[in-house]
Amino acid sequence: MSELFYGTGRNGTDDCVIGVDFGTLSARAVVVRVKDGNILGEAVAEYEHGVIRRLPGTDTELPPDWALQDPEDYLAALKCAIGGALRAAGLRREPAPVSDSCGPRIAALGFDFTACTMLPADETLTPLCKKAAFRHEPHAWVKLWKHRSAGAQARELTARAARRTDLWLTRYGGAASAEWYFPKVLETLENAPDVYAGTDRFLEAADWLTALLTGNEVNAPSFAGFKAGYTEESGYPAEELLTEIDRRMKGFIGTKLRGKVAKPASIIGYLTEKGAELTGLPAGTPLAVPVIDAHASMPALNLTKPGDAMLILGTSGCLIMHSDDAKNVPGTCGYMKDSVIPGLTTYEAGQPAVGDIFDWFARTSLPADYQLEAHARGIGRQELLTEKAAKLKPGESGLVALDWLGGNRSVLADASLRGMICGLSLSTKPEEQYRAWLEATAFGFRRILDQYEAYGVNVDNICVSGGIALKNPLLMQIYADISGKKLAVSGAAQSGALGSAIMAAAAVGCYPSVTVAAESMSAPYDRIYTPDPAGSEAYAPLYRKYCRLHDYFKDL
Amino acid sequence: MSELFYGTGRNGTDDCVIGVDFGTLSARAVVVRVKDGNILGEAVAEYEHGVIRRLPGTDTELPPDWALQDPEDYLAALKCAIGGALRAAGLRREPAPVSDSCGPRIAALGFDFTACTMLPADETLTPLCKKAAFRHEPHAWVKLWKHRSAGAQARELTARAARRTDLWLTRYGGAASAEWYFPKVLETLENAPDVYAGTDRFLEAADWLTALLTGNEVNAPSFAGFKAGYTEESGYPAEELLTEIDRRMKGFIGTKLRGKVAKPASIIGYLTEKGAELTGLPAGTPLAVPVIDAHASMPALNLTKPGDAMLILGTSGCLIMHSDDAKNVPGTCGYMKDSVIPGLTTYEAGQPAVGDIFDWFARTSLPADYQLEAHARGIGRQELLTEKAAKLKPGESGLVALDWLGGNRSVLADASLRGMICGLSLSTKPEEQYRAWLEATAFGFRRILDQYEAYGVNVDNICVSGGIALKNPLLMQIYADISGKKLAVSGAAQSGALGSAIMAAAAVGCYPSVTVAAESMSAPYDRIYTPDPAGSEAYAPLYRKYCRLHDYFKDL
């Protein structure tokens, strides 16, 4: 590969954008050609401290529901991943100042981040955990999205919100999550008042990073809307709600949470000298408004129009979709207009356990003879179960299950619900039960789609991402048959970073809209699953049974 | 042991009775001292052909729901078992005629038999399968109790009976079983009309044997009542019901099914010369009215009074009890007055799968690491599961299950129902599920007790028999806690034969009643389980949940 220079010079057909995806354990950067989405270079940088289970310099293991990170890891990974991606693309920094470099221009930078991943910082944006006074205080560190020890605060927030008339919580499925912004802040206030007092702002890590890079303190809309209860109509939750819980929250909004909520797919600012130092990119490079990591994948999968949806299947399941109408759909996990695609409303709904159920079954219920067979044939437990389950016809076993082994997030929003399997007989085999659990998660997915459609929000076009979507064709065919929807599957590992790059390209005006940008730049699908009419017909009565059981067990 | 002679001479304190228990695969005989129930000798003789899976001289395997036997096996086992038991008791036949033998008198013979185990015979009582013209015809052989290929006939009988006003079926739980007498006869009529035409009488094997031994053709009441729909008030099912199904059944009752229904605990006749030849006992020995094998165990366990119940726990569960009132208890499997104990009504109810569920779970759902642990420690799978389950507290797992993996026999009488388990989470362990299945069968048992009590039939005194009652103390404690009843456990392997001997002692007048005989002659209990108040309290809400699920799933 020939060595090229890059800079901020004139437009050209080789213009690139850079997208960075901040995940749970690493950041991935891609250098993408604007005209066709071609990924010229890519690099991954792991966070040095990963998820912190023990604070540096201490001996105490954190409780199991804690998950902290070190904010400096983000900065190190950012620079390392961008540098690596540029090198992989065969690009190196042009000697400044050169006005007519022949290399491609880096038209813009965009990134996505996990959420709510938040930290307390002082007025200089220094994270409190980096100050000597606070470094042994766990609450001074970044609370990662899956830091879940603020359950009590989430429950109190839910209970108090339910007694009020503003009802902001109803659009979030009626229950605040321990993963959200305010439970995490309240947990710090109650358990580490010194940290609270010493904090100038409690920031989403994404917003902290944009402020560091550009000097502009603004809040990215998808984080504000989906994690901090912000709505376009009434802003953040009412102060009275927060002070009811703790009167020390008086004045919180406007001081410790401040800054304008930005518009999506817009330029938040330009890299300062410090920003240039932190990224290795030229000062003045435009930075796009960041989005939540999962949302960033959507433009990468060409899902930017009303009715477009992405189903992420991993240990859990998450359905994100765009609509041109902002309707309140009871029991979904939230919606926000102008959070990802300008003018559209983005919805979220989910299932707390999907792959986790299959894994639980294979771990706890696979008899020794099956285990031996899998071992002898050198295949995995689930591979064996899938192979045997694939030989069964829909409904053949008579089993129907409820997929609530981790509770129900949508449409019942009740974490205390539990799983059920019925139709068991003395001749029931493990593969029949395994298939029933596959089907149960598909029924749960269909139930969410039905909820949207019942409230007038249509889902037209679905793309599935996540490892098990690629690994388990039986599961995908069951999802297609049960939902009656054509399902595209994408295995693009870079979809988050590519999506952030596409958002940046649209934000900086390389394309007139995210939709047009995505049409040119998105990644191809790996496979498309079409519903088999015979399968759909066979599943219809089973789905009706699932719905009856769903409605019975929700109140049992 | 000194050698004694036996005969039919004068009464004496060493008088004995002989009881023979005809089981599924063998006959067991006991020689029992009348005054104290002491078992002096015991012998088991297996049936040469066991359960026939392929007719002699043919190559064709019978269908899996078929179960035939050879009637000559009963005769060979009878003589062999009685002879063996007498030898074991140190007794041998006195040289006839001797009027003042010093040996013990054999006061009477009694036996019990599986039911409905029936055969077609000609006018000389020769089984049709022993006639050259019929020996290759499967329907000419003994249809064992678990011959279940008459399902279609059972369903038709149920459907037609439901449309009639005599409603005899309601006292049998509303559904005829494929195991019963009339479905088995109808199956022969429809599939082997020549066998039907060539049959003089379709006999319970028990009645065939008493006729052979004594020359008296009478029908034992427990077989007639529990297997052939006989009621004291209206006799056998109405001819119109039978001819509606097949007009060739016209005249069946009175010809192919004839003979008086005997009184229980009475002498049916005396061994003829032929009977003496068949048993090795002196001609003139009194023979008591036989009882169904399970019922025979009750006097052996001193269960002869109103409110006495026996729970037989094996692969399935069966509850048999006596009452002084003949009430119709919906959903139980039948009741009959004067079938076992004179003056009392005997009820039956049951659960189609108990031990079978535990076995199913251990076979199909035990993960390899548990299997390895059991193997390394040299214990069985269920032993390991029981050990781990015993460490759990009632209700700790949150699981509740419905024990219908083999359908529900009582109180819903619906074989199509299936099992269910709810409360599953991603942390549910195998031993938690195993315990939930143990508890589910105990809830099913409690539900049956509640049904009796709701209809005014009280259960005061329960003895549990069967292998798993002895092997699994955890299960028995769960049964005691959930039912709130004190449970005696007996492991007497000879309870059927001993009970038949007790019935014979009462029939021949050695005691004034079966109850008095049982008080002197019954076997001791191995252990008594008392409900733990804390356990009972913890199970109360779980049983209420079981009942809610029971009532929901019965109609799903």
Side-chain angles (χ1 to χ4, degrees):
Chain A
M1 192 177 289
S2 67
E3 185 155 285
L4 295 170
F5 298 92
Y6 64 90
T8 52
R10 55 172 165 62
N11 287 10
T13 55
D14 288 331
D15 281 0
C16 289
V17 278
I18 292 177
V20 184
D21 169 43
F22 287 91
T24 299
L25 296 171
S26 63
R28 177 191 300 264
V30 290
V31 176
V32 182
R33 193 158 59 194
V34 169
K35 70 172 178 193
D36 57 6
N38 200 359
I39 295 177
L40 304 177
E42 179 183 352
V44 177
E46 292 192 356
Y47 305 150
E48 185 185 340
H49 301 93
V51 178
I52 295 173
R53 301 285 317 124
R54 192 189 302 260
L55 288 191
T58 72
D59 282 338
T60 324
E61 181 92 357
L62 294 164
D65 50 359
W66 279 63
L68 304 183
Q69 290 199 318
D70 184 334
E72 283 185 353
D73 287 353
Y74 305 142
L75 301 180
L78 174 68
K79 188 156 185 177
C80 175
I82 290 177
L86 286 167
R87 280 192 300 280
L91 299 175
R92 67 176 178 86
R93 182 80 182 269
E94 66 184 9
V98 172
S99 59
D100 56 349
S101 146
C102 62
R105 185 180 63 124
I106 301 298
L109 168 67
F111 71 87
D112 59 86
F113 221 105
T114 59
C116 161
T117 293
M118 52 85 78
L119 71 163
D122 71 8
E123 49 290 336
T124 70
L125 290 174
T126 304
L128 259 62
C129 62
K130 295 296 163 187
K131 302 176 78 155
F134 295 108
R135 59 178 290 104
H136 296 303
E137 172 49 70
H139 290 279
W141 293 72
V142 177
K143 291 183 178 173
L144 184 61
W145 66 275
K146 64 178 181 177
H147 175 88
R148 295 192 181 103
S149 62
Q153 290 76 15
R155 283 189 293 277
E156 184 163 9
L157 190 61
T158 302
R160 299 220 180 243
R163 285 200 293 270
R164 292 174 55 85
T165 51
D166 50 1
L167 292 177
W168 64 268
L169 206 57
T170 59
R171 66 196 279 175
Y172 297 94
S177 161
E179 294 177 9
W180 289 0
Y181 179 85
F182 283 105
K184 280 172 169 156
V185 168
L186 288 164
E187 185 198 21
T188 299
L189 172 57
E190 290 169 20
N191 296 284
D194 289 353
V195 172
Y196 184 83
T199 299
D200 180 63
R201 272 178 80 189
F202 286 95
L203 290 149
E204 279 283 353
D207 295 334
W208 172 74
L209 193 56
T210 57
L212 272 186
L213 296 177
T214 67
N216 293 342
E217 298 198 14
V218 287
N219 301 330
S222 61
F223 300 84
F226 285 99
K227 305 299 170 184
Y230 177 86
T231 63
E232 225 185 9
E233 303 84 345
S234 46
Y236 289 104
E239 177 165 86
E240 307 91 75
L241 171 62
L242 302 172
T243 53
E244 249 186 54
I245 297 170
D246 196 310
R247 57 190 175 73
R248 292 172 291 178
M249 290 295 285
K250 192 165 168 57
F252 181 88
I253 292 163
T255 58
K256 293 185 199 281
L257 169 59
R258 61 177 189 267
K260 198 166 152 275
V261 174
K263 292 285 171 200
S266 65
I267 294 300
I268 214 164
Y270 302 87
L271 295 187
T272 57
E273 285 304 326
K274 185 179 175 194
E277 171 59 31
L278 287 169
T279 56
L281 296 174
T285 301
L287 177 69
V289 169
V291 289
I292 293 178
D293 54 350
H295 299 185
S297 293
M298 296 192 71
L301 303 173
N302 199 19
L303 301 168
T304 66
K305 294 179 285 297
D308 284 356
M310 179 174 66
L311 174 65
I312 308 168
L313 283 185
T315 56
S316 63
C318 180
L319 182 74
I320 308 170
M321 54 174 291
H322 303 309
S323 173
D324 47 8
D325 208 351
K327 285 172 177 147
N328 193 4
V329 182
T332 56
C333 306
Y335 62 95
M336 191 194 177
K337 198 178 169 187
D338 278 330
S339 57
V340 185
I341 309 294
L344 297 190
T345 297
T346 299
Y347 289 83
E348 268 196 32
Q351 294 165 272
V354 177
D356 272 351
I357 299 179
F358 315 148
D359 179 58
W360 164 82
F361 185 81
R363 266 190 301 108
T364 67
S365 306
L366 192 75
D369 50 340
Y370 282 58
Q371 172 84 62
L372 279 175
E373 183 183 345
H375 187 75
R377 293 175 50 199
I379 61 175
R381 295 168 181 177
Q382 291 207 47
E383 208 177 329
L384 180 77
L385 282 168
T386 300
E387 182 187 296
K388 290 183 190 285
K391 291 178 187 149
L392 302 168
K393 288 191 196 68
E396 182 181 335
S397 71
L399 299 171
V400 177
L402 288 175
D403 54 318
W404 301 344
L405 280 83
N408 176 296
R409 192 168 295 149
S410 308
V411 301
L412 301 172
D414 184 347
S416 73
L417 291 172
R418 287 294 169 261
M420 187 278 315
I421 183 165
C422 67
L424 294 163
S425 83
L426 295 172
S427 54
T428 298
K429 296 191 183 72
E431 58 268 33
E432 291 175 326
Q433 295 183 65
Y434 183 74
R435 184 169 178 129
W437 292 119
L438 300 184
E439 292 166 351
T441 65
F443 290 139
F445 167 59
R446 162 84 187 264
R447 184 66 190 78
I448 293 171
L449 293 183
D450 282 3
Q451 185 80 352
Y452 279 118
E453 295 189 353
Y455 285 84
V457 179
N458 289 321
V459 185
D460 299 323
N461 184 35
I462 304 172
C463 177
V464 190
S465 70
I468 54 176
L470 285 172
K471 276 192 288 191
N472 199 324
L474 171 65
L475 182 71
M476 285 302 92
Q477 191 59 51
I478 289 172
Y479 269 64
D481 291 352
I482 287 177
S483 67
K485 302 279 186 190
K486 203 184 278 190
L487 299 176
V489 168
S490 167
Q494 324 80 349
S495 62
L498 174 61
S500 289
I502 294 171
M503 295 294 287
V508 82
C510 295
Y511 288 99
S513 68
V514 179
T515 299
V516 178
E519 275 164 6
S520 293
M521 297 176 71
S522 55
Y525 298 138
D526 290 81
R527 185 164 169 187
I528 291 174
Y529 290 87
T530 305
D532 166 27
S536 294
E537 197 185 321
Y539 279 126
L542 296 175
Y543 178 61
R544 283 194 297 274
K545 191 164 180 181
Y546 174 90
C547 289
R548 286 180 64 181
L549 292 164
H550 178 281
D551 292 347
Y552 177 73
F553 276 91
K554 76 180 160 64
D555 301 317
L556 188 73
Chain B
M1 190 179 290
S2 68
E3 183 156 287
L4 295 168
F5 297 93
Y6 63 91
T8 53
R10 54 174 167 63
N11 286 9
T13 55
D14 289 329
D15 279 359
C16 289
V17 277
I18 291 177
V20 183
D21 169 42
F22 286 91
T24 299
L25 296 171
S26 62
R28 177 192 299 265
V30 290
V31 176
V32 183
R33 194 157 60 193
V34 169
K35 70 173 178 190
D36 58 6
N38 200 359
I39 295 177
L40 304 179
E42 178 182 352
V44 177
E46 292 192 357
Y47 305 150
E48 184 186 339
H49 301 92
V51 178
I52 295 173
R53 300 288 315 126
R54 193 190 299 262
L55 287 190
T58 71
D59 282 337
T60 324
E61 181 92 356
L62 293 165
D65 50 359
W66 278 64
L68 304 183
Q69 291 197 316
D70 183 335
E72 282 184 355
D73 286 353
Y74 305 141
L75 300 180
L78 174 69
K79 188 156 188 178
C80 174
I82 289 178
L86 286 168
R87 279 191 301 280
L91 298 174
R92 66 176 178 86
R93 181 81 184 268
E94 67 184 8
V98 172
S99 58
D100 57 350
S101 143
C102 61
R105 185 180 64 124
I106 301 297
L109 168 67
F111 71 87
D112 59 86
F113 219 103
T114 59
C116 161
T117 292
M118 53 84 78
L119 72 163
D122 70 8
E123 51 289 336
T124 69
L125 291 174
T126 304
L128 257 62
C129 63
K130 294 297 163 188
K131 302 176 77 155
F134 293 108
R135 59 180 288 105
H136 296 304
E137 172 49 70
H139 290 279
W141 293 72
V142 177
K143 291 182 178 174
L144 183 62
W145 67 276
K146 65 178 180 176
H147 175 89
R148 295 192 182 103
S149 62
Q153 290 77 14
R155 283 189 293 278
E156 183 163 10
L157 190 60
T158 301
R160 298 220 179 244
R163 286 201 293 268
R164 292 173 56 86
T165 52
D166 50 1
L167 291 177
W168 64 267
L169 206 58
T170 60
R171 67 197 279 175
Y172 297 94
S177 161
E179 294 177 8
W180 289 358
Y181 178 85
F182 283 105
K184 280 171 169 157
V185 168
L186 288 164
E187 186 197 21
T188 301
L189 170 58
E190 288 168 21
N191 296 286
D194 290 353
V195 173
Y196 184 84
T199 299
D200 180 63
R201 270 177 81 188
F202 286 94
L203 290 149
E204 281 281 354
D207 295 333
W208 172 73
L209 192 57
T210 56
L212 272 187
L213 295 177
T214 66
N216 292 342
E217 298 198 14
V218 288
N219 301 331
S222 61
F223 299 84
F226 285 99
K227 305 299 170 183
Y230 177 87
T231 64
E232 223 186 11
E233 302 85 345
S234 45
Y236 288 105
E239 178 164 84
E240 307 90 76
L241 171 61
L242 302 173
T243 52
E244 249 186 53
I245 297 171
D246 196 310
R247 57 190 175 72
R248 291 172 291 178
M249 289 297 284
K250 192 164 169 57
F252 182 88
I253 292 163
T255 58
K256 293 185 200 282
L257 169 60
R258 62 178 187 268
K260 200 165 152 272
V261 173
K263 292 285 171 198
S266 65
I267 293 301
I268 214 165
Y270 301 87
L271 295 186
T272 57
E273 285 305 324
K274 184 180 176 193
E277 171 59 32
L278 287 169
T279 56
L281 296 174
T285 301
L287 177 69
V289 169
V291 288
I292 293 177
D293 54 350
H295 298 186
S297 292
M298 296 192 72
L301 302 173
N302 198 19
L303 301 168
T304 67
K305 294 179 285 297
D308 284 356
M310 178 174 68
L311 174 65
I312 308 168
L313 284 185
T315 56
S316 63
C318 181
L319 182 74
I320 308 171
M321 53 175 292
H322 303 309
S323 172
D324 48 8
D325 208 351
K327 284 173 177 145
N328 192 4
V329 182
T332 56
C333 305
Y335 62 95
M336 192 193 176
K337 197 176 170 188
D338 278 330
S339 57
V340 184
I341 309 294
L344 297 190
T345 297
T346 299
Y347 288 83
E348 267 196 34
Q351 293 164 273
V354 176
D356 271 350
I357 298 179
F358 315 148
D359 178 58
W360 165 82
F361 184 80
R363 265 190 302 108
T364 67
S365 306
L366 192 75
D369 50 340
Y370 282 58
Q371 173 83 63
L372 279 175
E373 183 183 345
H375 186 75
R377 294 174 51 199
I379 61 176
R381 296 168 181 177
Q382 290 207 48
E383 208 177 327
L384 180 76
L385 283 168
T386 300
E387 183 186 297
K388 290 182 189 285
K391 291 177 186 150
L392 302 168
K393 288 191 196 70
E396 182 181 334
S397 72
L399 299 171
V400 177
L402 288 175
D403 53 318
W404 302 344
L405 280 83
N408 177 296
R409 192 168 297 150
S410 308
V411 299
L412 301 172
D414 184 348
S416 75
L417 291 172
R418 287 293 169 261
M420 188 278 315
I421 184 164
C422 68
L424 294 163
S425 85
L426 295 172
S427 53
T428 297
K429 296 190 183 75
E431 58 269 33
E432 292 175 326
Q433 294 184 64
Y434 182 74
R435 185 170 176 130
W437 291 120
L438 300 184
E439 292 166 352
T441 65
F443 290 140
F445 167 59
R446 162 85 187 265
R447 184 65 190 80
I448 293 171
L449 293 183
D450 282 4
Q451 186 79 352
Y452 279 119
E453 295 188 354
Y455 286 84
V457 178
N458 290 319
V459 184
D460 299 321
N461 184 35
I462 304 173
C463 178
V464 190
S465 70
I468 56 177
L470 284 172
K471 276 191 289 190
N472 198 325
L474 171 66
L475 182 72
M476 285 301 93
Q477 190 59 52
I478 289 173
Y479 268 65
D481 291 353
I482 287 177
S483 67
K485 302 281 185 187
K486 201 184 279 190
L487 299 177
V489 168
S490 167
Q494 323 80 349
S495 63
L498 174 61
S500 289
I502 294 171
M503 295 294 287
V508 82
C510 295
Y511 287 99
S513 68
V514 178
T515 299
V516 178
E519 275 162 6
S520 294
M521 298 176 71
S522 57
Y525 298 138
D526 290 80
R527 184 163 169 186
I528 291 175
Y529 290 86
T530 306
D532 166 26
S536 294
E537 197 185 320
Y539 279 126
L542 296 175
Y543 177 60
R544 283 194 297 274
K545 191 163 179 182
Y546 175 90
C547 290
R548 284 181 65 182
L549 292 165
H550 177 281
D551 292 347
Y552 177 73
F553 276 91
K554 75 180 162 62
D555 300 318
L556 188 73

